[in-house]
């Protein structure tokens, strides 16, 4: 009897799952694959733009010359990247993609941004009264950044009937924190043509 109840309960659970899914099929795909369903900014755009622009920045003749004159690895902090486009874009994901590209390049170090530093400082303060003297970290021992990377994401939309063209432009600037001199400026453009019965932007 117990076995029969278990089978019935399992059957009901499977039925509920099938009914709630509404016939939807989910297939896992490679996270590095290029998938463009809506034509809007997506994870592939974020990753490719970050990789290309960080590489362009750190391999530019001007930056390579400055790094050579410094005689050490520069430290970079990523500041604000403003989304000025017409659509919602996860700026945080784009920033993380840039941080990953920056760290993996080996050409520069990077430090936590302002919001992350506030959280880290709170942890250091907490350690002062709760951690052992040997393991507690001290305030005022942070590594200061040499340069700050900031940017904007803009779009232009041209639409007629069931066809549209979305033009994305990502602009990044690298600034010296001591002198406020602009060391590098770069941009990446993406244009997407979308054709369908009804376009909603």
């Amino acid at each position: 009897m117990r076995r029969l109840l278990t089978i019935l309960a399992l059957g009901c659970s499977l039925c509920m799952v099938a009914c709630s899914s509404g016939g939807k099929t989910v297939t896992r795909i490679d996270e590095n694959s290029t998938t463009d369903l809506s034509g809007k900014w997506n994870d592939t755009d974020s990753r490719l733009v970050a990789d290309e622009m960080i590489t362009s920045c750190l391999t530019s003749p001007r930056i390579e010359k400055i790094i050579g004159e410094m005689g050490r690895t520069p430290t970079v902090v990523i500041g604000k990247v403003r989304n000025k486009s017409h659509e919602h874009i996860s700026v945080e994901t784009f920033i993380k993609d840039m941080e990953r590209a920056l760290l993996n390049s080996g050409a520069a170090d990077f430090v936590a941004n302002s919001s992350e530093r506030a959280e880290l400082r709170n942890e250091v303060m907490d350690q002062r009264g709760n951690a052992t003297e040997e393991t507690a970290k001290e305030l005022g021992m942070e590594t200061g950044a040499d340069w700050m990377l900031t940017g904007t994401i803009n779009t232009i939309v041209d639409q007629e009937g069931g066809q549209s063209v979305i033009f994305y432009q990502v602009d990044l600037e690298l600034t010296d924190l001591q002198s406020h001199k602009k060391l590098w400026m770069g941009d990446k453009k993406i244009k997407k043509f979308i054709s369908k019965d009804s376009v909603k932007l």
Side-chain angles (χ1 to χ4, degrees):
M1 183 66 178
R2 181 177 296 175
R3 184 178 180 186
L4 178 60
L5 290 173
T6 302
I7 293 173
L8 287 173
L10 181 60
C12 289
S13 299
L14 291 173
C15 181
M16 289 175 66
V17 171
C19 292
S20 64
S21 66
K24 183 185 293 182
T25 300
V26 178
T27 304
R28 292 184 181 273
I29 60 177
D30 188 327
E31 69 273 13
N32 293 316
S33 63
T34 300
T35 306
D36 217 334
L37 299 178
S38 66
K40 296 181 179 180
W41 180 274
N42 58 32
D43 63 308
T44 300
D45 298 319
S46 177
R47 184 178 67 253
L48 294 180
V49 170
D51 287 344
E52 183 174 327
M53 295 197 75
I54 292 299
T55 299
S56 173
C57 173
L58 296 177
T59 58
S60 71
R62 177 179 172 82
I63 296 301
E64 287 185 335
K65 179 182 177 183
I66 294 172
I67 292 176
E69 292 172 349
M70 291 174 68
R72 61 176 175 83
T73 303
T75 301
V76 180
V77 61
I78 296 181
K80 289 184 178 180
V81 177
R82 293 176 173 82
N83 176 22
K84 295 184 177 181
S85 73
H86 72 288
E87 65 186 62
H88 171 73
I89 291 178
S90 177
V91 173
E92 291 78 11
T93 300
F94 180 55
I95 288 175
K96 287 301 178 184
D97 283 336
M98 287 197 293
E99 288 179 345
R100 173 192 48 77
L102 191 62
L103 187 62
N104 291 343
S105 72
D109 296 324
F110 76 90
V111 293
N113 60 37
S114 57
S115 60
E116 292 170 332
R117 288 197 301 272
E119 185 176 357
L120 292 167
R121 287 166 185 162
N122 286 337
E123 172 59 24
V124 174
M125 288 292 293
D126 185 70
Q127 288 185 9
R128 296 179 73 180
N130 297 289
T132 62
E133 185 177 348
E134 293 78 14
T135 61
K137 304 304 178 286
E138 297 181 17
L139 291 171
M141 299 297 289
E142 300 173 18
T143 298
D146 300 300
W147 304 335
M148 175 177 279
L149 189 65
T150 56
T152 58
I153 303 174
N154 288 280
T155 53
I156 299 174
V157 180
D158 185 14
Q159 181 177 330
E160 179 66 33
Q163 297 182 330
S164 64
V165 173
I166 306 178
F167 175 80
Y168 296 90
Q169 179 163 323
V170 181
D171 293 285
L172 294 179
E173 296 182 356
L174 188 67
T175 306
D176 185 283
L177 283 170
Q178 182 66 53
S179 65
H180 293 186
K181 288 182 179 179
K182 303 287 186 182
L183 304 179
W184 172 86
M185 298 177 69
D187 66 83
K188 172 64 179 176
K189 300 177 177 67
I190 299 174
K191 184 179 285 189
K192 297 185 180 185
F193 173 73
I194 306 166
S195 179
K196 57 182 179 180
D197 294 336
S198 178
V199 178
K200 294 181 180 180
L201 298 173

